[in-house]
Amino acid sequence: MAEPGDLVPTVPAAGAARPLQRRTLLILRGEEVEVRPLPAQGEVVVGRGSQCDVKIDHPSMSRRHLQLVLTDDGVRAIDLGSANGTSLRGARLPANVAVEISANDALAAGDLTLVVQEVRPARAAVSAPAAPARASGPVAVSAAAPVVVDPVMRRLYELAARVARGSIGILLVGETGAGKEVLAEFLHRSSPRAAGPMVLVNCAALADSLVESELFGHEKGAFTGAQRERRGLIESADGGTVFLDEIGEINAALQAKLLRVLEERRVLRVGASEPRPVDVRFVAATNRDLEAEVAAGRFRRDLYFRLAGAVLAIPPLRERPQEIDLLARSFAADAAARLGRDAPVLDEAALRALRAHAWPGNARELRNVIERAVLLCDGPAIGVADLAVGTAAPPAPAPPAPPIPDATPPPADSPLAEQLAAVERQRILAALEAFGGNQTRAAESLGMPRRTFVKRLEAYGLPRPRKK
């Protein structure tokens, strides 16, 4: 039976080994989203009482509702016997029992939703194919649903759907080609501004000499060649969303002017004397470590916190291999449709080669590879020869696992913590059986770091499969 302080079922965050920079608490109530700072480590009491570390004045919250235990290894939530309870993934937490929570997990506390967010430094750069510069301007938002299969990605998109309903600034972080623009389009479609325009501003492609005119617009005669007045990109998004891609590339002067727009919600055209009001929602994206840029004085701290009300981190494709097959088939269908032909299938050898590739360019690289293969393949199927990726052999089959004892479910009237632990134990048993005792692959299938998986084996008295 689990005792207070024990860890019960969890799906830990991918890549949690990177050093922590900052934690915040998102408080969602209806369409409102509020952000509160959290310490990197320590114990934080959340509730309605004046003595709480995070005071939330809401009738559904108890005076001392829950406690968050923050460590380098993760976050645990403890319901403090609240009247309306605390729930995680639909299950009410037992009182005074620590439950490990993952990145983007939504805790239901009374009528509110609480999400602990972690900001960690960007992953080490991986050599990737260069992406062509894109023009800035209004973009047509695709109605197609993004491919979201991996548990970490499902939690990410569930949180995105929640924060999209508010007006808080959102910062998307992740490697080049990981899908930041796709997530930005999803945020726009999921927001009350979906009927309005979405304007893409590629900050890396803005020429210094024209940047103010491009972003803020200009009046007739404001400079040589200004034959007529022109609305800027931000003004063109009135009633909709501005997506500031590659936000880390803008210079200090533009940072100051952009901050003024975010604070005042008004733009001043070049050559104008009076600013114009704008009603826009800002979503920004970067593959840079903006926290490090702020610390180095290259990015304004006040602008960063305006943009990063909620931070949504997109894992690279190599950390969500379950999605490679589906993405490849989707890209093949899109490419074939543009060519007016039937979509080719990918044979098993081609799929194995795709799964074995490291994908330094992420989903964008995968799309390029598949579009090229659609052009090259002669028959109804894409083979390895049509792919411009390495053909590393798949890993050798794992050795047979030793017999694993059957799990006996606890009685229906046993404490909830014990029932939850039994569910997790059964899932671990099933994963070990499915992957022939391979602990690494079993842990990956559960979205669990291998170190945590091994701890669970020890806690539940399960034998560790040994290599022959």
Side-chain angles (χ1 to χ4, degrees), residues 155-287:
R155 291 198 302 273
L156 173 65
Y157 270 78
E158 287 168 2
L159 176 59
R162 289 172 177 266
V163 298
R165 298 198 292 263
S167 58
I168 193 171
I170 300 175
L171 179 65
L172 311 182
V173 297
E175 295 179 6
T176 298
K180 296 187 287 292
E181 188 172 333
V182 173
L183 181 53
E185 292 178 359
F186 174 83
L187 285 163
H188 177 70
R189 288 200 312 270
S190 303
S191 76
R193 300 172 176 272
M198 176 179 174
V199 172
L200 165 65
V201 179
N202 183 3
C203 299
L206 291 171
D208 288 343
S209 59
L210 298 175
V211 63
E212 281 195 61
S213 176
E214 286 287 318
L215 280 180
F216 309 127
H218 61 256
E219 296 293 330
K220 181 179 179 180
F223 50 84
T224 303
Q227 303 283 332
R228 56 184 177 84
E229 69 173 28
R230 180 177 182 272
R231 291 200 305 169
L233 292 170
I234 293 176
E235 201 176 337
S236 298
D238 196 39
T241 303
V242 174
F243 176 42
L244 300 168
D245 199 10
E246 305 295 352
I247 188 64
E249 305 301 323
I250 64 175
N251 60 38
L254 183 56
Q255 289 175 32
K257 292 173 181 177
L258 185 59
L259 175 64
R260 189 177 306 119
V261 174
L262 272 91
E263 290 178 337
E264 300 177 0
R265 299 292 161 169
R266 297 190 298 173
V267 296
L268 182 65
R269 291 180 177 180
V270 177
S273 57
E274 293 293 331
R276 297 168 179 261
V278 289
D279 174 23
V280 296
R281 204 276 182 77
F282 287 93
V283 176
T286 184
N287 60 2

Side-chain angles (χ1 to χ4, degrees), residues 309-449:
V311 180
L312 303 181
I314 306 174
L317 185 58
R318 62 183 172 275
E319 291 184 9
R320 40 190 170 107
Q322 300 175 47
E323 298 184 353
I324 291 175
D325 290 15
L326 288 174
L327 283 169
R329 293 188 178 104
S330 175
F331 294 155
D334 289 346
R338 290 196 299 271
L339 295 172
R341 53 179 285 193
D342 293 334
V345 299
L346 289 100
D347 67 26
E348 189 55 40
L351 289 173
R352 283 199 301 270
L354 294 177
R355 295 176 199 133
H357 189 58
W359 299 114
N362 291 293
R364 183 179 298 157
E365 181 189 0
L366 176 59
R367 179 189 287 276
N368 293 339
V369 166
I370 295 300
E371 289 179 349
R372 177 180 181 274
V374 170
L375 289 171
L376 292 180
C377 69
D378 293 326
I382 293 174
V384 172
D386 303 314
L387 301 174
V389 297
T391 54
I404 297 174
D406 292 333
T408 304
D413 59 352
S414 61
L416 179 58
E418 188 174 336
Q419 294 184 48
L420 289 172
V423 170
E424 182 178 56
R425 185 176 188 274
Q426 185 58 49
R427 288 188 62 188
I428 290 174
L429 291 173
L432 285 171
E433 183 176 354
F435 292 100
N438 187 311
Q439 297 169 64
T440 299
R441 296 182 66 190
E444 288 175 352
S445 73
L446 296 173
M448 192 180 286

Side-chain angles (χ1 to χ4, degrees), residues 47-60:
R48 188 163 43 89
S50 59
Q51 301 302 312
C52 290
D53 302 298
V54 177
K55 183 178 181 295
I56 303 177
D57 189 11
H58 194 275
S60 68

